[in-house]
Amino acid sequence: EPEVTQTPSHQVTQMGQEVILRCVPISNHLYFYWYRQILGQKVEFLVSFYNNEISEKSEIFDDQFSVERPDGSNFTLKIRSTKLEDSAMYFCASRTGQTQGETQYFGPGTRLLVL
Amino acid sequence: EDKVVQSPLSLVVHEGDTVTLNCSYEVTNFRSLLWYKQEKKAPTFLFMLTSSGIEKKSGRLSSILDKKELFSILNITATQTGDSAVYLCAVAGTASKLTFGTGTRLQVTL
């Protein structure tokens, strides 16, 4: 069964460093998402992406964040200058886009720790 | 602002018990309500509900949506220790982004 995959599974970085989190969505999916979950808190929406552009972004997704689909398979989240409060689990999700509101399938996540 | 509230926050039951998890929501441009199970990492999909009153069922799990009263329930019958997890309710609204509740932590003991 097709799955969303994410790399790396864990990333430790120093405050101020740039990180790139990578996702490979399910192959026939057209809509892509990033969410994050700070330890002990709820899953929060960051950004949605369709047709090579951002469709919607949350207040969390400020100028330090960017997303890209550099080729036909990868979908990346870049944090330019990490802060301590960026420490969280980051989930990528995708859906086909055949109908509105349909199921989003989540990847296993990347746990980011900023020291 | 879209909002999803789940109750109870946590629940401990004995194997074999039946549990009911609750989810209420306020969302503009409602498209669907989804239930996910989160064990260690990624939320794994359980159900998607779009229409009121139609029960979705998968084995011992079932769920129903009430769009008039803006809530959903997830039932698990004959619980097993493998059902121990956090159950997440999410609502798809504008641009189909998901707004999640805080989840219900279910622990099933022997």
Side-chain angles (χ1 to χ4, degrees):
Chain A
E1 186 175 325
E3 293 180 333
V4 177
T5 59
Q6 290 185 243
T7 54
S9 58
H10 294 80
Q11 173 108 35
V12 181
T13 190
Q14 295 290 325
M15 191 169 57
Q17 295 296 304
E18 174 183 286
V19 295
I20 297 176
L21 310 183
R22 291 183 167 79
C23 169
V24 178
I26 295 172
S27 63
N28 63 338
H29 286 191
L30 301 177
Y31 288 78
F32 314 117
Y33 303 83
W34 284 101
Y35 294 84
R36 79 171 186 191
Q37 186 175 31
I38 294 171
L39 191 63
Q41 297 186 24
K42 62 174 72 174
V43 177
E44 301 173 288
F45 168 77
L46 293 177
V47 66
S48 59
F49 191 85
Y50 169 70
N51 200 27
N52 279 321
E53 59 183 31
I54 291 172
S55 345
E56 187 170 355
K57 58 184 180 179
S58 71
E59 292 175 356
I60 304 166
F61 194 89
D62 61 22
D63 292 344
Q64 293 301 311
F65 291 86
S66 62
V67 288
E68 195 176 36
R69 188 155 164 80
D71 54 44
S73 58
N74 290 284
F75 178 51
T76 62
L77 174 69
K78 182 193 290 187
I79 309 174
R80 287 190 188 82
S81 178
T82 50
K83 306 183 188 71
L84 296 176
E85 55 265 36
D86 293 329
S87 296
M89 180 75 94
Y90 288 81
F91 294 110
C92 174
S94 69
R95 68 180 178 96
T96 64
Q98 290 174 354
T99 59
Q100 289 286 352
E102 67 190 52
T103 302
Q104 291 179 28
Y105 293 92
F106 283 74
T110 293
R111 185 169 293 286
L112 176 65
L113 179 59
V114 182
L115 302 176
Chain B
E1 185 181 327
D2 297 348
K3 190 175 171 183
V4 176
V5 177
Q6 291 186 246
S7 65
L9 291 180
S10 66
L11 196 53
V12 181
V13 300
H14 290 108
E15 207 173 38
D17 287 351
T18 292
V19 297
T20 298
L21 310 182
N22 304 295
C23 175
S24 63
Y25 63 90
E26 296 172 24
V27 64
T28 51
N29 297 320
F30 174 88
R31 301 193 190 282
S32 60
L33 184 145
L34 298 97
W35 285 96
Y36 289 88
K37 179 181 182 182
Q38 187 176 30
E39 293 179 84
K40 291 180 182 176
K41 287 192 174 179
T44 53
F45 171 71
L46 294 175
F47 297 112
M48 184 179 75
L49 303 149
T50 54
S51 301
S52 275
I54 298 173
E55 187 183 51
K56 291 270 182 108
K57 198 167 170 64
S58 176
R60 297 176 293 102
L61 278 68
S62 63
S63 183
I64 197 159
L65 174 67
D66 185 328
K67 287 169 74 173
K68 184 179 174 187
E69 300 298 328
L70 307 182
F71 80 88
S72 174
I73 60 172
L74 175 69
N75 280 318
I76 309 174
T77 59
T79 51
Q80 301 171 356
T81 54
D83 295 328
S84 296
V86 176
Y87 289 84
L88 301 174
C89 174
V91 180
T94 306
S96 293
K97 71 173 188 180
L98 295 180
T99 299
F100 281 84
T102 51
T104 293
R105 182 174 296 278
L106 174 66
Q107 185 179 350
V108 181
T109 62
L110 290 170

